[in-house]
Amino acid sequence: MSDIVEEINRMHREVGSRTVPTGEAHTVLLRRTYEAEIADVWDAVTSPERLGRWFLPVSGEFRIGGRYQLEGNAGGEILECTPPERLRVSWLYGPDPGFSEVEVRLTADGPGRTVFELEHAAVVPEEFWGQFGPGATGVGWDLGLVGLVRHLAGDGPVSDWDSSPEGKACAARSGEAWGAAYAASGADPETVAATTAATVSFYTAAG
């Protein structure tokens, strides 16, 4: 797919917060429109076989109340599933993950078009948020969803894409975009500049 870095510009981003049972959660919201039928997008984000083609291999019990595990990444419980419109899961990683949930919402937007929303809400240590802001989570989702762009377009996965020059350029553009979304949420300019720089450095560092 040509100009794949431009896909970052097609994503709308919002930064916010909400109260959850364990405290105040930070939220990141991603929204974009895909040129695909809602049934196809739903299948791409819920079928274990298709998830393994564009995101990560996944195992588990794929039913409400069942548990899943992404290879080398998050796992959790399937909390809600309303085909083809809504999926909500806990998104837990590490020995003490705290509260973290991901919700995917799909809306048909005429023939062959689907509005895709992903919201990730998590209670995170304030020192971590203070260092990286929303970009630590947001850039990761942006890069992951580039795989969905390719998958729905019929392109195959690209090995080690995220460490390629194009992948790093995509991460840098994403980091700047999340900085803009953070500023729009009311964060002060110095905090936005510092967290954006730290996030971009983390995702584009050599290695």
Side-chain angles (χ1 to χ4, degrees), residues 177-204:
W178 278 107
Y182 197 19
S185 77
D188 71 86
E190 287 189 6
T191 298
V192 170
T195 55
T196 299
T199 296
V200 170
S201 177
F202 175 82
Y203 278 100
T204 61

Side-chain angles (χ1 to χ4, degrees), residues 95-141:
D96 186 20
F99 176 91
S100 179
E101 288 186 358
V102 170
E103 183 173 324
V104 173
R105 299 182 289 266
L106 305 181
T107 307
D109 187 33
R113 287 169 58 88
T114 301
V115 177
F116 171 101
E117 285 190 335
L118 184 150
E119 185 173 21
H120 190 164
V123 177
V124 299
E126 283 306 312
E127 61 270 21
F128 184 83
W129 183 266
Q131 182 177 1
F132 294 105
T137 299
V139 174
W141 281 117

Side-chain angles (χ1 to χ4, degrees), residues 137-207:
T137 299
V139 174
W141 281 117
D142 272 342
L143 297 180
L145 292 175
V146 166
L148 181 56
V149 173
R150 296 184 57 86
H151 179 71
L152 292 171
D155 297 337
V158 178
S159 178
D160 298 325
W161 176 82
D162 57 345
S163 61
S164 70
E166 186 179 46
K168 289 179 183 289
C170 196
R173 183 167 297 189
S174 171
E176 295 292 340
W178 278 107
Y182 197 19
S185 77
D188 71 86
E190 287 189 6
T191 298
V192 170
T195 55
T196 299
T199 296
V200 170
S201 177
F202 175 82
Y203 278 100
T204 61

